[in-house]
Amino acid sequence: MLPEGEVGGTHFLAALLGISEMVAGLTDREEVIGTIVRITPQLVGMDRCAILLYDERRKEFRTAVVHGPDRERNAAYLRLAITAEDVRNLAHRILEQKLPALVRESSFPRHVAGALGIKMALVVPLVCRERTLGIMILDHTTGQRPFTSKEINVVMGVAQQAAIAIDNFRLQEEARRANEEARLMGEMLSDGSLRLTPDLRLTALDPSAEALLQWKSEDVTGKGLAEAFAVTARDGSRLSDVPQLAERVLRPVPGRGPPHLYFRRADGTRVLCAVLTTQVRDEHGSVTEVLCALRQISVAREEAPARDVPEMPTRDPEAPD
């Protein structure tokens, strides 16, 4: 524990740096916030700390983790839920101005102060990108120990680190869910999907595409779409290896269905697929990835081995006939 009165300057920066390094090395959200609630009280001479995360649907803050000397009260803390309105009643500045507040026992809801034995606590919002993700509550279970301005600054710095970590894990989880939803939708709506760079080089095949085309992702990663699968049209013309020309053929055209193209399988046979593509863009509008969904089309005649064929015409499909 740092000596009282020395929290500030070098100690302040060292504390934040140490916590930042620890947070960066952890990959589990519960482990990150658990570490923070154990360390933060030592920095400011308190003995209890809790992080409550905001539940957007229920409009309330629920305890995610607590660290303190009293196991029975810790168990009660873990069952705690405080509505957003109750937090505003503690101190208007916490949610409205996103600033910390020292809150006395009389301001807490009766069931909270009584069950937890709170006399006076520092309540700090966890804010990242103007969004309140939760609150941190620090107090001393044996009485009303005041906070100095330097100690409050330390806690605010730690709270900022906690908020950034929580937000990063939230974004990772949202991305994971989005990818999983996209995968499931792809499986429902297509017989396989490909991931491509903006210049149409393969980065991954999903398991369905691997089964359909008989190629493993690692066998074709880095190759151009046309090169990897010797893609041809029904008339035998070959998809260009030049990304700009190939994109014209693959580009969705309003009022027309997706192009029907043959893909060469690993065994040399061909499979006819309707090809749907979409571009993934970043916040600046730049294309970061191309997603390609394949829907197999049955053909009456037996599929024949791929052969050398002339290159596919590259006339802009939007041009008038």
Side-chain angles (χ1 to χ4, degrees):
M1 182 184 297
L2 294 176
E4 185 176 350
E6 293 190 16
V7 178
T10 302
H11 292 91
F12 171 69
L13 295 177
L16 290 186
L17 180 60
I19 288 178
S20 179
E21 290 177 347
M22 279 186 290
V23 166
L26 301 176
T27 58
D28 179 78
R29 189 189 73 174
E30 280 63 39
E31 189 177 7
V32 168
I33 59 179
T35 299
I36 287 173
V37 300
R38 287 195 303 271
I39 293 175
T40 306
Q42 300 178 43
L43 299 176
V44 293
M46 296 292 135
D47 69 356
R48 183 167 60 179
C49 179
I51 286 180
L52 289 73
L53 299 179
Y54 186 57
D55 186 327
E56 187 76 39
R57 183 173 60 85
R58 297 185 177 184
K59 307 297 182 186
E60 65 183 17
F61 294 85
R62 304 181 68 86
T63 304
V65 62
V66 60
H67 175 73
D70 189 321
R71 290 187 178 182
E72 184 176 341
R73 282 179 171 171
N74 288 349
Y77 222 134
L78 287 171
R79 297 190 296 270
L80 179 64
I82 307 177
T83 67
E85 188 59 32
D86 282 340
V87 174
R88 288 190 179 90
N89 290 336
L90 294 180
H92 189 71
R93 60 189 288 164
I94 297 172
L95 297 185
E96 302 306 325
Q97 299 177 24
K98 297 179 173 55
L99 293 173
L102 281 169
V103 182
R104 296 187 180 277
E105 175 184 6
S106 58
S107 297
F108 279 95
R110 187 182 300 274
H111 72 282
V112 174
L116 305 182
I118 294 177
K119 301 302 181 182
M120 182 174 69
L122 177 64
V123 182
V124 185
L126 305 180
V127 180
C128 186
R129 296 188 296 165
E130 299 301 316
R131 179 177 179 180
T132 301
L133 304 176
I135 55 176
M136 179 187 290
I137 303 178
L138 282 121
D139 72 327
H140 205 290
T141 57
T142 61
Q144 297 186 29
R145 184 192 177 283
F147 289 82
T148 68
S149 59
K150 290 182 179 180
E151 289 171 341
I152 292 175
N153 286 336
V154 169
V155 176
M156 289 176 64
V158 173
Q160 183 61 50
Q161 293 292 324
I164 291 171
I166 292 167
D167 191 56
N168 285 340
F169 285 115
R170 180 184 64 82
L171 293 175
Q172 291 172 17
E173 178 60 21
E174 288 180 357
R176 186 197 65 77
R177 285 200 302 266
N179 286 337
E180 181 64 11
E181 290 172 1
R183 184 187 68 79
L184 294 174
M185 288 297 294
E187 290 180 355
M188 292 172 59
L189 301 175
S190 71
D191 296 308
S193 61
L194 317 174
R195 303 178 80 96
L196 306 143
T197 63
D199 61 352
L200 303 184
R201 292 194 171 275
L202 290 149
T203 59
L205 280 65
D206 74 354
S208 296
E210 290 183 333
L212 176 66
L213 301 175
Q214 301 175 354
W215 292 98
K216 293 292 185 182
S217 282
E218 55 266 28
D219 296 330
V220 295
T221 295
K223 294 183 179 180
L225 177 67
E227 171 197 0
F229 306 116
V231 182
T232 62
R234 282 179 179 270
D235 63 5
S237 55
R238 184 169 61 87
L239 183 68
S240 176
D241 291 317
V242 179
Q244 293 84 349
L245 300 180
E247 191 274 334
R248 291 183 181 181
V249 176
L250 299 172
R251 182 195 310 163
V253 179
R256 301 185 188 180
H260 292 183
L261 302 173
Y262 281 102
F263 286 71
R264 183 182 61 192
R265 289 173 165 147
D267 65 0
T269 61
R270 297 188 301 164
V271 57
L272 182 63
C273 296
V275 182
L276 298 90
T277 58
T278 186
Q279 295 177 330
V280 179
R281 298 178 182 271
D282 61 19
E283 64 272 22
H284 305 295
S286 299
V287 178
T288 60
E289 187 176 39
V290 175
L291 303 181
C292 180
L294 305 180
R295 190 171 65 239
Q296 184 176 1
I297 297 174
S298 298
V299 290
R301 60 182 176 81
E302 183 179 353
E303 293 174 348
R307 54 188 175 82
D308 292 332
V309 291
E311 186 170 296
M312 188 180 301
T314 56
R315 184 176 64 83
D316 191 331
E318 294 186 353
D321 294 330

